[in-house]
C-alpha cells in the first residue's frame, strides 16, 4: 500500500510539473468559455437551486433528466442522448440550444419570468398589475435618443402601482439572455448584464418618464440565473413588500423569492436543451389491418 501511495504521489508530482511547464492546467490558463463558467458559478444566485430543499409544494423539484442536464450545463459537459443536429439544421450544443429560436423556448423562459414577477407583485399587495400594458401614444413629444421606441403600439411586459411609493406606477421589461452566446461571452458577466440593461433603458426609459410620468426598471437575467443590478434592486423592494404583508422576516422572504426565481429560470432553460425544435409533429395512427398483418407475420416467423 505504501508503495502504491508513493507511486501515486510521484505520478501526481510529475503531472503537476508537466502542467506547469506546458501551461496545460485549465485553472491556470482557462479558455474564454471556461473563464465565463467560473465567473458564473461564483456569482450570487448561481447555486441557489442546488442548496434549496426539494419541496414539491413550492415547485423546487427536478426529475433526474433535468438534474443531469442542469449539472451538464453548469459544468460545461456534453449532453448525452441528444441528436447531433438541431431541428434548425445546425450542430447541436448547449450554447446553440439556449439561443435557438425554434420551439419557442427563448420566449418561454422570458414569459415564465414575466408571469412569475406579475404574480409576486400581486402577492406583495401592489395594485393595477397588468401584463403587457400598452404605452400612451406619442402626440408631438420628441424623444432625444434615436434608439427610443416611438411606436404607437409599443408595449412593455408588466406594469404595477405602489412598488416604490404608494400609487406611483412602475413599468418593467424583461430579457433573459444566453451568457454563453458569442455576442455575450466576449464580455465579463457584469458588463454583459449592464449592456442589456442599457439597451432596455435607451429604448424605454425616457418615454416612460416623460410621457407616462412613471418609473422604468429593466429586468435582465442570464440563463445561468444571474440578475443585473436593476433587477436585484427591484426584487429586493418586492421582498420588502412581501415581508411587510406576510409578517415573515426580510431575510426569509428574500431567500424564498430568490429560490422561486432560480427555479423559474432553471426549469425553462433546461427545457430548451432537449425540447422539440422540429417543423412538424408526426403522430402514429394505428390501423387495424396493419396490426393484423404484423400479428400474422410474427406468428409465421415463430412457426419457421
Amino acid at each position: 500500500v505504501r508503495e502504491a501511495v508513493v507511486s501515486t504521489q510521484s505520478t501526481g508530482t510529475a503531472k503537476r510539473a508537466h502542467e506547469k511547464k506546458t501551461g496545460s492546467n485549465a485553472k491556470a490558463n482557462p479558455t474564454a468559455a471556461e473563464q465565463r463558467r467560473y465567473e458564473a458559478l461564483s456569482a450570487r444566485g448561481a447555486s441557489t437551486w442546488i442548496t434549496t430543499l426539494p419541496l414539491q409544494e413550492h415547485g423546487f423539484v427536478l426529475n433526474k433528466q433535468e438534474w443531469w442536464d442542469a449539472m451538464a450545463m453548469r459544468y460545461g459537459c456534453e449532453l448525452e442522448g441528444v441528436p447531433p443536429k438541431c431541428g434548425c439544421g445546425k450542430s447541436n450544443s448547449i450554447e446553440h440550444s439556449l439561443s435557438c429560436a425554434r420551439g419557442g423556448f427563448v420566449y418561454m423562459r422570458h414569459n415564465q419570468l414575466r408571469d412569475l414577477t406579475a404574480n409576486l407583485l400581486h402577492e406583495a399587495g401592489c395594485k393595477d398589475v397588468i401584463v403587457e400594458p400598452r404605452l400612451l401614444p406619442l402626440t408631438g413629444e420628441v424623444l432625444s435618443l434615436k434608439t427610443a421606441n416611438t411606436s404607437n403600439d409599443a408595449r412593455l411586459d408588466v406594469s404595477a402601482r405602489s412598488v416604490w411609493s404608494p400609487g406611483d406606477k412602475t413599468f418593467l421589461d424583461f430579457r433573459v439572455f444566453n451568457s454563453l452566446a458569442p455576442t455575450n461571452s466576449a464580455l465579463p458577466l457584469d458588463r454583459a448584464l449592464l449592456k442589456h440593461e442599457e439597451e432596455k433603458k435607451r429604448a424605454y426609459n425616457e418615454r416612460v418618464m416623460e410621457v407616462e410620468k412613471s418609473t422604468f426598471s429593466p429586468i435582465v437575467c442570464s440563463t445561468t440565473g444571474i440578475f443585473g443590478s436593476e433587477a436585484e434592486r427591484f426584487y429586493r423592494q418586492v421582498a420588502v413588500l412581501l415581508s411587510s404583508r406576510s409578517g415573515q422576516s426580510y431575510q426569509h422572504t428574500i431567500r424564498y423569492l430568490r429560490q422561486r426565481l432560480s427555479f423559474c429560470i432553471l426549469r425553462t432553460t433546461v427545457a430548451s436543451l432537449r425540447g422539440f425544435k422540429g417543423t412538424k409533429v408526426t403522430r402514429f395512427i394505428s390501423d387495424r389491418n396493419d396490426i393484423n398483418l404484423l400479428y400474422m407475420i410474427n406468428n409465421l416467423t415463430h412457426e419457421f
Side-chain angles (χ1 to χ4, degrees), residues 84-230:
K85 292 288 185 180
C86 177
C88 67
K90 296 183 179 180
S91 298
N92 219 345
S93 66
I94 291 178
E95 184 274 319
H96 173 76
S97 296
L98 296 179
S99 300
C100 184
R102 284 286 184 87
F105 297 101
V106 174
Y107 299 104
M108 182 179 73
R109 59 177 177 252
H110 168 276
N111 293 345
Q112 291 280 358
L113 181 60
R114 177 201 65 192
D115 295 345
L116 172 60
T117 303
N119 289 333
L120 288 171
L121 289 170
H122 181 73
E123 293 174 17
C126 296
K127 308 300 181 183
D128 196 22
V129 180
I130 302 174
V131 174
E132 294 190 352
R134 187 187 298 273
L135 296 179
L136 293 173
L138 299 179
T139 54
E141 295 91 346
V142 178
L143 303 180
S144 61
L145 296 177
K146 294 182 179 179
T147 55
N149 189 329
T150 58
S151 172
N152 286 335
D153 295 325
R155 293 175 179 269
L156 288 176
D157 286 324
V158 175
S159 66
R161 293 186 183 273
S162 303
V163 176
W164 300 105
S165 58
D168 287 348
K169 197 170 187 177
T170 298
F171 287 86
L172 309 173
D173 204 52
F174 294 78
R175 177 176 293 175
V176 183
F177 69 95
N178 177 13
S179 59
L180 300 178
T183 53
N184 297 311
S185 60
L187 295 173
L189 186 56
D190 57 344
R191 288 183 58 190
L193 289 163
L194 181 61
K195 181 191 76 169
H196 289 288
E197 286 181 343
E198 292 298 324
E199 288 178 0
K200 290 290 186 183
K201 286 183 178 180
R202 287 194 296 269
Y204 295 109
N205 192 57
E206 184 181 11
R207 180 169 178 173
V208 169
M209 293 184 67
E210 298 299 327
V211 180
E212 300 286 343
K213 304 302 180 183
S214 304
T215 59
F216 173 71
S217 294
I219 308 300
V220 174
C221 174
S222 72
T223 51
T224 53
I226 312 303
F227 285 87
S229 59
E230 293 279 352

